[in-house]
Amino acid sequence: MLKELHAANKVLLEFQRLIEEKTCNPWKGNLRTGVDLGTANIVLAVVDSHNRPIAGASCPSTVVKDGIVVDYLGAIRAVRQLKEELESRLGTALTHAAAAIPPGVNPGSVRAIGNVVESSDFILTGIVDEPTAAADALGIESGAVVDVGGGTTGISIIEQGKVVFSGDEPTGGTHMTLVLSGAFSLDIAEAEQLKKDGAKESEVFDAVKPVVEKMAAIVKGYVSKRPVESVYVVGGACSFRQFENVFEKYLGIPVVKPAAPLLVTPLGIAMNCKFD
Ligand SMILES: Nc1ncnc2c1ncn2[C@@H]1O[C@H](COP(=O)(O)OP(=O)(O)OP(=O)(O)O)[C@@H](O)[C@H]1O
Ligand SMILES: [Mg+2]
């Protein structure tokens, strides 16, 4: 388990560096793009034919909510903008992309996600389930992958390298922000800022802990039916230092948080972009 995660962490930190420094790596073979249309962030990840991270870009977004496109034109505009930014950095066109959806999204919404990617001048290679993409980026053979994003907590259970179950339920980072807004009498934007202020984590975390326990309860409901030896947490809402400790206490199973948890799912989506 640890050896696999060590390799994945190296790749994730490299991907994070590429995004932060707005730079790119040399590549071999085809460039493959992953488009993560999240509730809080849109992320484009580019890998080469060896699954090495080559470039990435992201922007905050409100155009998609839990896998449902709520602002179609806005979504296309955002994806096109990130695509153009990456293409100018790379000096070449990005042609093919995979997209992703949270488990359980209805077929109409899946089509809408695909249409956004195609209308952004990509050839769509496929649409993958989000926690499955995360498991691929982590390269794990067994365990539960829990993606706590902006709107929902998604879970995939992996056995012998295959996804045997996936599910998704409301409760994500947005709910933490709402709790903080109420507890500290702040508007939503102020509460969101406070939530991400690492220097204030101890007071913030006391307030959001019940939300973390609710997320753990969702996971417990699934893993009590399909026992696992470890739980991997990814997604922006698990950024708190104490997050995995609360999960571990609640679940009684080792909980592992990879490096750059926000980037695991986007990178996994790019790894699922397959074409010749
Ligand atoms: N440092 C941080 N501390 C606490 N929360 C954070 C931090 N950074 C990001 N978040 C929260 O993580 C959430 C975004 O995570 P992520 O990008 O994984 O979600 P998403 O993919 O857009 O949403 P979803 O997967 O639910 O559609 C937001 O609610 C954001 O406030
Ligand atoms: Mg997400």
Side-chain angles (χ1 to χ4, degrees):
M1 164 181 111
L2 284 175
K3 204 167 132 229
E4 287 148 4
L5 202 69
H6 183 70
N9 279 346
K10 253 179 82 176
V11 173
L12 285 160
L13 290 172
E14 174 62 3
F15 182 45
Q16 186 175 42
R17 183 188 71 80
L18 294 169
I19 295 176
E20 282 173 2
E21 295 180 6
K22 296 185 188 297
T23 184
C24 58
N25 277 335
W27 65 91
K28 286 214 174 92
N30 290 331
L31 286 178
R32 301 141 64 212
T33 307
V35 178
D36 186 353
L37 290 161
T39 304
N41 296 298
I42 297 186
V43 187
L44 259 62
V46 181
V47 300
D48 71 2
S49 53
H50 299 284
N51 276 344
R52 281 189 300 236
I54 303 303
S58 75
C59 65
S61 152
T62 51
V63 295
V64 175
K65 198 170 180 307
D66 305 335
I68 295 164
V69 181
V70 293
D71 175 0
Y72 189 70
L73 294 178
I76 295 168
R77 210 176 307 126
V79 174
R80 274 178 183 260
Q81 203 168 345
L82 292 172
K83 181 177 188 268
E84 278 164 24
E85 186 185 324
L86 288 172
E87 287 176 336
S88 85
R89 203 178 294 164
L90 291 158
T92 190
L94 295 168
T95 55
H96 292 67
I101 38 132
V105 164
N106 73 56
S109 307
V110 177
R111 256 196 313 279
I113 292 276
N115 289 344
V116 168
V117 174
E118 288 181 332
S119 301
S120 308
D121 288 336
F122 276 118
I123 297 165
L124 181 71
T125 61
I127 298 182
V128 63
D129 170 90
E130 282 177 4
T132 305
D136 288 339
L138 298 175
I140 54 168
E141 283 293 308
S142 66
V145 178
V146 176
D147 185 349
V148 274
T152 59
T153 295
I155 178 168
S156 262
I157 296 187
I158 320 287
E159 286 172 9
Q160 296 175 339
K162 293 212 163 55
V163 179
V164 294
F165 173 81
S166 58
D168 198 54
E169 285 185 39
T171 309
T174 311
H175 304 81
M176 294 172 164
T177 305
L178 288 174
V179 166
L180 288 175
S181 163
F184 295 96
S185 303
L186 300 170
D187 67 31
I188 297 296
E190 290 168 336
E192 177 71 18
Q193 203 179 353
L194 171 68
K195 184 177 75 172
K196 292 185 190 162
D197 184 348
K200 303 215 170 103
E201 177 165 334
S202 55
E203 52 182 311
V204 165
F205 197 76
D206 279 347
V208 300
K209 196 173 164 197
V211 185
V212 179
E213 285 170 342
K214 165 71 186 165
M215 292 162 170
I218 291 172
V219 174
K220 194 165 193 162
Y222 290 116
V223 299
S224 60
K225 290 184 210 120
R226 294 176 182 77
V228 293
E229 280 176 16
S230 28
V231 172
Y232 299 83
V233 287
V234 306
C238 75
S239 299
F240 298 100
R241 277 189 298 276
Q242 303 172 58
F243 188 97
E244 55 270 43
N245 297 341
V246 172
F247 249 57
E248 204 162 273
K249 260 195 203 127
Y250 197 99
L251 294 172
I253 307 168
V255 175
V256 185
K257 180 163 70 186
L262 272 147
L263 301 178
V264 177
T265 303
L267 195 65
I269 301 171
M271 290 172 175
N272 276 280
C273 172
K274 290 174 186 142
F275 69 100
D276 296 321

